[in-house]
Amino acid sequence: MFKAVCRLLASRFNLFAISSALIPVFFYAQTALLQNRAWALNAASNDWPRWRGVNYNGASTQQNVFEENSALKIVWKKKLGSGYSAISIANGHAVTMFSDGEYDYVISLDAESGNEQWRYRIDTTYPGRDGANPGPVSTPTIDNNRVFGIGPKGQLVALNLKTGKPLWSTHLIEQHQAVRPHWGFTTSPLIYDDLLIVETGGTQNNAITAFNKKTGKVVWRTGTDNVEYQSPLLANIAGRTQLLWAGEKSLYGFEPDTGKELWRYVHGGDGFYQRIVNPVWVGENKMLLTNGSAQAKMIQVASSDTGFAVTEIWKSPDLKRNYNIPVYYEGYIYGFSGDFLTCVNAHSGELAWKSRPPGNGFTILVDGHLVIMTKRGALHIAKASPEGYVEIASQPLFDKLVWSPPSFANGKFYARSSFDEIACVSVVEQSLAAVEKSSSLPSMFFPNSEFGKFVKKIASRADKRAQIDQFINSQKQFPVIEGDSLVHIIYRGEARDVALRGDMFDAGEEVTMHHLDGTDFFYASFKLAPEAFLSYQFIKDLDQRMADPRNPHKIGATMRVGETSELYMPRSAHPQHFFEPATALRGKLDTLTFTSEKIPVGRRIWGGERQIQVYLPPDYDATTKRYPVLYVNDGDNALEIGKMKNALDNLIGKTVQPVIAVFIQSISAYEFARLERPLYAQMLAEKLVPFIDEKYRTIATPEARAILGGDEGGYSSLYTGFRHPSVFGKIAGQSIAPIADGGPELVELVQKSPFLPLRLYIDWGTYDYRYAAYEYDTRGFSQSFVKMLRDKKYQVAGGEFNDGSDYASWRRRTDKILQAFFPNADNTNGAK
């Protein structure tokens, strides 16, 4: 299921924002780095002058930072602008890059006060792609009195650190034939003696280039591997300083002075992870590669008779599917596996522990402690120990999404959100800290409810297991409904940890259920609308996703991936139209292959073959009539999960007239609402519709043609319909998902168009898809969008329902869409 898999890989937000967190960097044991200081920057040892710090390993060299009673305190916080560039600190300057919405800048702030010292305008803003915020993603490098930065469009600039005045500049595309990555240039520059080394990303022996750092002139260039979100670095391997860099296919060791290749290793990355190779150096010439979606592996580089040889040491499934770059400390690797902070033995690959707290984010290492900046905006400090996650301090910093790692210099942390804020935090004694506590999560317990009284009553009893048995056996249904608005979701079984994902939370959020000590009883309570319908899922022991075993109402797969349970509140409707029809009179599905032109979009190719499934009503073969047509985006999932064939079979001839339905396979995560949206819309209107009209007996007029989709497919329906009103006269969107610049473009498209003879249906859920930290709110957008349409005098059917999101909810309303567009009020059997 293409869309579900895409959501798993990114929980949407991996596709939302590609940042400097994606830049692969090798991590070095400090002892290995100290063997050769020829390529060290001219910076104080406690500075953080580049991406991942002075020693490339995401670790500070400063000691005695934390004590037993340490806490965190905000020194300063200020508005900045959007972007993903991390913060480099040296000589009193904190340097990063950002967008003000019109232009991209390099900016220097006073590291102590946050006051602006200077800003340098790079170019007009690089727009956010596919959900990303606009602005730069590369992290500047500070070298003595110079700053080197790379703009997302390819400008490489050298600036005076004190004044921000340009020293020299060059353009990676215009002057060096580089190929711009989809999310813009992300690589960060590397200093080696008088060389500035950049992964320029060309394909004609110019994938990596060494410039004279004083003049900007090219010293050498080489490499043919594809490069997108990688950065070069230096390491001492077998007593020899080497330039290490990665492409999509291979990992390389070069002589940094000349660019001569010493060795290469085909790293075997897959999917998007091969474009963000991120090895972790663990000493003894070993490094961890987390460039696969299913596992990590340890490799070793050693001298051989022919030069150097690379061997594989071990593989582990416990560090995967995360853009964070791990850190190494005293024989253990600390990073993320999915959403969970994870510790792995560096020598054997064995798992030491996984932890749900503090939440998904980005790690660095300071004074033997893990420093985690979570994506939801909080800074956490924990001991780096194989014994488990032991937090000593935390501080909420931002309300919006963070997608850049923190930095640490001279006793202070520096962090930014991807939206509009930057902050400096110091380490203080607990008595001096004023720690903010914030949580948007519900308490999930109502002590004065009957269930709450039961839990309190048995909490201290010796026979509580027997009491739980009695309680479970006395229930007529699960979840347990109390009154018309309280619901108690219960899991019983041996587990260390049980969490919930569901429509009651923000997207991607996993919230730990309450656990009754000394039992296998886990619970969570919610107050919902009496008419509400939601879906939810258990996550047992961090990575076992499952439906509620006591709840018979299940749906095969949704955004959450894996089987999911359905929750019906007392007054929620129980529609039957998407269940297997009782009648033998059914339509049939034709399966076709449709081919569109292949078109380059950056480094991707859009188009080619896709499967089309065409529903023909029961009487199609027995008549010569022509039929209206419904085009359905994300057709595979609409059939498999949304059960739309069942809906058509159940409704046609009763409340819906006979109709042909065309279910369109999605072949790209970017074609509905992201960068490829105009290509998809044009293909649909100008190629697929004529193809279907020629092959089947359709009514080839816009009045008889409808288009439908949910989420990004719903966006595509509106976008395609308003761009091609002479093709589609009926448009339906469920839980419309406007991604990045797609939202404003759709709004502008509707605002600037004249009133069109369109019939519109838009619906959404009260508990629809949302992510507050990313300012993403399907319900809010839908409400404002429909208001705009009605202000333009459009009649819009649908509206808000007390449901959640995805096919579990959308399929409950399929009948309303079909009846709105293809009513069978006079019981006719089709159009003549």
Side-chain angles (χ1 to χ4, degrees):
M1 298 174 190
F2 185 83
K3 191 169 184 181
V5 171
C6 289
R7 291 191 182 280
L8 172 63
L9 289 176
S11 296
R12 166 174 272 147
F13 308 110
N14 288 354
L15 296 173
F16 265 5
I18 301 300
S19 73
S20 50
L22 304 185
I23 305 171
V25 179
F26 289 78
F27 292 75
Y28 301 93
Q30 186 176 344
T31 53
L33 291 174
L34 293 176
Q35 290 176 11
N36 190 325
R37 300 296 295 182
W39 35 269
L41 289 181
N42 296 314
S45 61
N46 290 338
D47 281 342
W48 192 280
R50 60 159 78 90
W51 167 250
R52 300 303 290 172
V54 70
N55 287 331
Y56 305 94
N57 58 354
S60 170
T61 59
Q62 190 169 346
Q63 302 296 312
N64 303 315
V65 176
F66 300 107
E67 298 179 357
E68 290 185 2
N69 64 340
S70 290
L72 300 175
K73 182 179 180 180
I74 297 175
V75 178
W76 53 262
K77 184 166 73 170
K78 63 183 299 179
K79 293 291 184 180
L80 180 66
S82 62
Y84 302 92
S85 173
I87 305 160
S88 297
I89 304 99
N91 304 326
H93 294 256
V95 182
T96 188
M97 300 195 287
F98 77 100
S99 166
D100 66 359
E102 185 175 0
Y103 295 99
D104 289 338
Y105 297 90
V106 182
I107 189 170
S108 173
L109 305 176
D110 182 277
E112 294 296 320
S113 67
N115 293 332
E116 182 174 331
Q117 297 174 314
W118 53 261
R119 67 174 64 187
Y120 173 82
R121 192 170 76 185
I122 304 170
D123 198 348
T124 55
T125 287
Y126 188 76
R129 298 288 183 90
D130 303 327
N133 284 328
V137 286
S138 174
T139 298
T141 296
I142 303 174
D143 175 44
N144 200 2
N145 62 346
R146 298 181 180 91
V147 176
F148 301 95
I150 301 175
K153 296 181 181 179
Q155 300 88 344
L156 171 60
V157 297
L159 308 174
N160 183 291
L161 176 62
K162 293 183 178 180
T163 66
K165 299 297 183 183
L167 302 173
W168 57 263
S169 66
T170 188
H171 201 287
L172 299 184
I173 298 175
E174 296 172 1
Q175 295 171 267
H176 304 283
Q177 295 73 53
V179 179
R180 184 173 62 209
H182 179 66
W183 282 277
F185 286 92
T186 304
T187 189
S188 292
L190 169 71
I191 297 293
Y192 174 77
D193 289 342
D194 284 337
L195 298 180
L196 179 75
I197 302 174
V198 177
E199 290 203 38
T200 39
T203 58
Q204 301 175 356
N205 289 319
N206 62 336
I208 186 165
T209 303
F211 300 89
N212 183 302
K213 72 178 184 182
K214 297 178 181 178
T215 65
K217 293 183 178 180
V218 174
V219 177
W220 58 256
R221 58 164 60 110
T222 189
T224 57
D225 204 346
N226 288 332
V227 170
E228 292 194 86
Y229 310 108
Q230 301 92 340
S231 288
L233 48 117
L234 295 152
N236 189 301
I237 298 178
R240 184 171 182 175
T241 300
Q242 296 188 24
L243 169 68
L244 302 179
W245 66 282
E248 285 190 13
K249 297 179 180 178
S250 298
L251 175 67
Y252 302 86
F254 277 19
E255 286 184 349
D257 297 283
T258 64
K260 177 183 177 181
E261 182 177 315
L262 301 174
W263 57 268
R264 73 170 63 185
Y265 170 69
V266 178
H267 55 66
D270 63 82
F272 188 75
Y273 294 89
Q274 69 184 0
R275 299 154 66 188
I276 56 169
V277 180
N278 50 358
V280 180
W281 187 269
V282 298
E284 299 176 341
N285 297 326
K286 296 178 183 178
M287 62 189 83
L288 178 79
L289 302 183
T290 57
N291 60 325
S293 59
Q295 62 186 6
K297 62 181 176 181
M298 184 70 71
I299 63 171
Q300 185 171 37
V301 183
S303 301
S304 69
D305 293 339
T306 58
F308 293 89
V310 182
T311 56
E312 184 180 298
I313 307 300
W314 52 255
K315 292 182 178 180
S316 168
D318 291 311
L319 284 169
K320 62 185 178 184
R321 293 190 183 281
N322 195 283
Y323 294 160
N324 170 69
I325 302 174
V327 292
Y328 169 77
Y329 182 68
E330 294 188 348
Y332 289 86
I333 297 166
Y334 300 86
F336 281 89
S337 186
D339 292 334
F340 307 118
L341 187 62
T342 302
C343 175
V344 170
N345 187 301
H347 303 292
S348 66
E350 294 181 354
L351 175 68
W353 53 261
K354 284 187 180 181
S355 174
R356 186 179 304 282
N360 198 348
F362 304 96
T363 56
I364 62 173
L365 184 75
V366 176
D367 188 24
H369 288 70
L370 301 175
V371 179
I372 305 102
M373 186 70 231
T374 67
K375 292 179 180 178
R376 294 184 182 271
L379 188 67
H380 298 260
I381 314 296
K383 294 180 180 179
S385 168
E387 300 302 316
Y389 179 75
V390 181
E391 185 171 296
I392 68 166
S394 66
Q395 175 66 53
L397 291 181
F398 310 114
D399 295 328
K400 299 176 185 177
L401 185 74
V402 174
W403 209 285
S404 306
S407 305
F408 180 81
N410 304 299
K412 295 182 176 65
F413 298 99
Y414 298 82
R416 65 176 297 178
S417 75
S418 64
F419 280 80
D420 58 3
E421 287 186 302
I422 185 171
C424 172
V425 177
S426 65
V427 180
V428 298
E429 294 181 4
Q430 287 183 357
S431 60
L432 301 178
V435 180
E436 299 177 21
K437 297 293 183 181
S438 64
S439 176
S440 60
L441 300 178
S443 67
M444 302 196 306
F445 184 61
F446 295 86
N448 295 324
S449 67
E450 292 303 314
F451 178 78
K453 293 175 183 177
F454 164 76
V455 170
K456 290 190 295 182
K457 175 183 175 181
I458 69 168
S460 59
R461 292 184 57 160
D463 65 340
K464 51 189 166 187
R465 284 183 176 268
Q467 294 291 320
I468 292 170
D469 288 339
Q470 182 178 348
F471 173 82
I472 293 290
N473 293 332
S474 67
Q475 301 306 312
K476 296 180 180 180
Q477 68 175 35
F478 290 91
V480 176
I481 305 293
E482 183 178 331
D484 64 357
S485 60
L486 280 181
V487 59
H488 311 292
I489 299 175
I490 293 168
Y491 178 86
R492 192 174 190 198
E494 293 300 326
R496 299 185 304 275
D497 174 274
V498 181
L500 275 176
R501 295 186 84 166
D503 292 326
M504 59 284 288
F505 304 123
D506 265 18
E509 197 145 42
E510 295 183 3
V511 181
T512 305
M513 298 177 71
H514 296 293
H515 178 217
L516 191 59
D517 290 342
T519 74
D520 56 359
F521 188 71
F522 299 81
Y523 59 93
S525 300
F526 302 91
K527 188 170 186 178
L528 304 173
E531 303 82 10
F533 168 87
L534 289 79
S535 61
Y536 66 97
Q537 183 182 62
F538 291 133
I539 301 93
K540 176 184 173 182
D541 293 336
L542 303 184
D543 56 9
Q544 299 178 43
R545 299 174 183 273
M546 65 178 71
D548 185 343
R550 299 179 185 276
N551 182 351
H553 303 291
K554 297 177 174 63
I555 184 169
T558 66
M559 294 179 188
R560 296 179 194 98
V561 182
E563 197 171 44
T564 300
S565 293
E566 298 177 324
L567 168 59
Y568 292 84
M569 292 301 285
R571 290 187 231 155
S572 176
H574 290 252
Q576 302 296 306
H577 62 267
F578 53 81
F579 287 99
E580 192 76 18
T583 177
L585 190 64
R586 305 183 186 185
K588 68 175 183 178
L589 284 174
D590 280 356
T591 300
L592 311 174
T593 297
F594 176 77
T595 303
S596 60
E597 179 185 359
K598 291 185 177 181
I599 301 173
V601 181
R603 293 190 176 183
R604 296 195 303 266
I605 299 294
W606 176 85
E609 289 188 354
R610 71 177 73 221
Q611 187 181 79
I612 306 295
Q613 297 184 72
V614 181
Y615 173 89
L616 300 176
D619 66 346
Y620 185 85
D621 290 334
T623 72
T624 59
K625 294 180 298 188
R626 293 187 173 273
Y627 297 83
V629 186
L630 171 66
Y631 288 81
V632 184
N633 290 328
D634 194 30
D636 289 357
N637 285 331
L639 284 168
E640 183 177 352
I641 311 172
K643 305 297 182 185
M644 277 200 68
K645 184 179 184 300
N646 288 349
L648 289 162
D649 285 340
N650 280 317
L651 298 172
I652 284 177
K654 297 176 183 176
T655 59
V656 174
Q657 64 177 288
V659 60
I660 295 172
V662 180
F663 296 93
I664 310 161
Q665 179 189 22
S666 174
I667 60 173
S668 170
Y670 305 96
E671 66 182 4
F672 287 155
R674 308 182 191 222
L675 192 63
E676 297 159 358
R677 59 185 179 266
L679 299 176
Y680 179 81
Q682 184 177 13
M683 177 275 295
L684 188 56
E686 298 179 6
K687 302 296 182 181
L688 182 59
V689 167
F691 173 81
I692 295 297
D693 285 344
E694 182 177 352
K695 193 169 183 65
Y696 296 98
R697 299 194 312 273
T698 66
I699 302 174
T701 65
E703 295 79 13
R705 217 179 270 128
I707 182 170
L708 161 67
D711 193 73
E712 293 185 33
Y715 172 95
S716 178
S717 296
L718 271 298
Y719 179 80
T720 302
F722 272 91
R723 282 175 68 98
H724 300 278
S726 63
V727 178
F728 297 100
K730 302 173 181 180
I731 309 170
Q734 297 185 280
S735 303
I736 301 169
I739 304 299
D741 59 338
E745 182 179 353
L746 178 60
V747 170
E748 184 179 12
L749 176 64
V750 174
Q751 287 177 333
K752 290 187 176 181
S753 69
F755 181 85
L756 300 170
L758 298 173
R759 295 181 63 181
L760 303 176
Y761 178 101
I762 298 173
D763 70 25
W764 61 93
T766 303
Y767 307 93
D768 219 316
Y769 195 93
R770 60 201 180 276
Y771 190 1
Y774 208 87
E775 296 187 330
Y776 188 90
D777 179 10
T778 298
R779 180 190 184 201
F781 176 82
S782 298
Q783 290 172 335
S784 61
F785 187 68
V786 167
K787 181 180 184 302
M788 180 191 68
L789 288 168
R790 287 174 174 161
D791 287 345
K792 287 180 68 71
K793 307 306 179 184
Y794 285 103
Q795 298 294 316
V796 185
E800 181 167 316
F801 294 81
N802 279 307
D803 293 351
S805 190
D806 210 348
Y807 286 99
S809 291
W810 301 335
R811 68 183 187 175
R812 292 164 51 81
R813 309 190 291 268
T814 306
D815 57 335
K816 294 176 173 53
I817 298 170
L818 293 172
Q819 291 160 8
F821 286 170
F822 308 107
N824 196 34
D826 58 357
N827 292 320
T828 57
N829 290 318
K832 301 292 185 183

